[in-house]
Structure formats: structure tokens, C-alpha cells
Amino acid sequence: VNIGARANSIPYSKVTSSGSFEGYSNDICKIIIKDIQAKTGKTLAVTTQEVNGQTRQPLVLNGTTPLECGSTSYTEERAKVVNFMIVDADPVVPATLSSNTSITSLESFKGKKVSVVAGTTAEKIFRKLNAEQSWGTSIVLAKDYPLAFLQVEQGQTDAVVTNGVLLAGEMSKLANGKFKLLPKVVVGEAELIGIMYGKNDADFSGIVKATEARNKADGTLKRLNAKWFGPLGLKWTAEQKKLVFG
């Protein structure tokens, strides 16, 4: 089994100094692999392949990475071609330099420059606002979140926008106190975050769905959330729990 994972999606997935991957989604995928092995009675050789916002879905679709263990937002469009195991719910919000006082609401982005990682929900939101409401927001694409933060730090853009959990993760990695998270400036309402997997194998899908149901029922998902989100000062709100657990 070749797993797809993100290198810079803390706390969902990150690459370590040794080249291995770890994080909230990676832990869940390890449980899925164990369940597959138990169901089939076979020991699987597991490899991990780095994916990004542009490659993650195509690699699931063509079977290269049957599981994508990162931080992918659930959308109806994506759900038409891939399955999702829902593991989180998170709003899209901005992070700015601590000294920036110009971003106080979504409307503050009119005429501003914003960094977004290519292929993410934030990019789609601002392109839609520009097209439908002529906001004039300049969209600066970044290949990953470290580059997006660097663009803000260098004054190329006014803010980096993505899911709040990912922003908190990146800020913890920077540890320089230069940035602040603006959780009350909601760019996109809380959206479901999930592990993608293919639709073309009913047996495989059945195992993943069974793992999802058990992990939500026996407290595993809550335990892993506390393990990876807690150190960032994050915990699920009542709204997030409702979206994740139904």
C-alpha cells in the first residue's frame, strides 16, 4: 500500500528530519492499514509518497496512493469521484503579521493581496469573490504553507488564508511571534476535512468505513485529536464535534 501524505500540513501530516511522515491523519491511516491486514490476514508493505494540493486527488484516482492522509477539504465535487473518511471540521481563516491591523473582516480583503496554497479552498473562495463581486483581491499562489508565510513576512501579501488548524500548525513551527491568527475573520465556514480514498474497490472501502465508525464510537478520534491538536492550543468546539460525529 502506497500512502499519500503532506509534508507541511501540521498537525495533520508532516515530514520528519528522518524523512518519515507523522501527524493526526497519518496515525489514522496506520489504524486503517492494521485493519486491512487483520481483515486480509496479510502483512502489507507500506510506503509513503509526498503529495500536494494539486497532485493528491489525481494520485488517488489513478490508484497510485489509495489513501491520502493529509488535510483535504470535503467538497461535493470531490465526493463525486473519491470517498472521504471525515476526521475534522475547520473554518477557513487568515493569519497576518502581528502588526497588521487592516484585516478585521472578510470585506477587508477587497483590493488586498492574499497568499493561498494552490488548489485549496481559499483559492476558490477568492476567485469566486473576484469573479462575482469584483473584489479586486490579488491572489498570490504558493506551493506550500511555509512559502505562503514567507510571502506575508516579506510584504508581498497582506495575509495567508487557509484552514485555521493548518495556520496554527505553521505558526507553531515558525515560533517567531511575528504572526497572529484571526479566527473571528471567517473567510469560509467550517468545512469537513477528510482522508481521501478511491471508490473503485468495494472491499477496501468497506474496511475504511468500518474503521471510521469504530474510531468515532470508541473515542480513538478524540484521543488522537487531543494528541496532535492539544499542543497547539486547539480543541474541538461543539459545532466541530457535531460536524465530525454527526
Side-chain angles (χ1 to χ4, degrees), residues 123-179:
E123 178 187 358
K124 296 178 181 178
I125 290 173
F126 283 110
R127 290 198 185 284
K128 184 176 181 180
L129 288 170
N130 282 343
E132 297 181 358
Q133 300 185 38
S134 302
W135 272 36
T137 303
S138 296
I139 301 170
V140 180
L141 298 179
K143 67 175 182 178
D144 54 31
Y145 295 108
L147 178 57
F149 272 87
L150 182 62
Q151 290 170 343
V152 177
E153 189 170 356
Q154 293 179 341
Q156 299 176 44
T157 59
D158 298 286
V160 53
V161 180
T162 191
N163 295 99
V165 171
L166 293 177
L167 289 176
E170 287 300 321
M171 289 167 65
S172 72
K173 187 168 62 177
L174 294 171
N176 57 18
K178 293 182 179 180
F179 290 89

Side-chain angles (χ1 to χ4, degrees), residues 209-231:
K209 290 177 181 178
T211 302
E212 178 178 12
R214 189 187 72 250
N215 284 356
K216 289 181 178 180
D218 67 8
T220 297
L221 213 60
K222 292 180 179 178
R223 175 179 60 79
L224 292 178
N225 178 278
K227 172 185 175 181
W228 291 103
F229 291 45

Side-chain angles (χ1 to χ4, degrees), residues 78-143:
R78 286 173 176 157
K80 291 177 181 178
V81 293
V82 296
N83 286 324
F84 277 87
M85 176 181 178
I86 302 304
V87 297
D88 192 21
D90 195 26
V92 177
V93 298
T96 67
L97 288 174
S98 297
S99 58
N100 189 324
T101 59
S102 66
I103 306 297
T104 57
S105 67
L106 176 58
E107 288 73 20
S108 300
F109 285 104
K110 292 180 179 179
K112 295 285 199 309
K113 295 180 180 179
V114 60
S115 290
V116 298
V117 172
T120 59
T121 302
E123 178 187 358
K124 296 178 181 178
I125 290 173
F126 283 110
R127 290 198 185 284
K128 184 176 181 180
L129 288 170
N130 282 343
E132 297 181 358
Q133 300 185 38
S134 302
W135 272 36
T137 303
S138 296
I139 301 170
V140 180
L141 298 179
K143 67 175 182 178

Side-chain angles (χ1 to χ4, degrees), residues 26-27 42 48 73 106 115-116 122 166 184 189 197 219 226 236:
N26 294 100
D27 276 1
K42 297 179 179 179
T48 305
S73 301
L106 176 58
S115 290
V116 298
L166 293 177
K184 294 183 179 180
E189 297 298 330
Y197 59 101
W236 276 329

Side-chain angles (χ1 to χ4, degrees), residues 63-76:
T64 301
T65 55
L67 283 171
E68 187 269 322
C69 308
S71 54
T72 301
S73 301
Y74 170 95
T75 66
E76 291 183 358

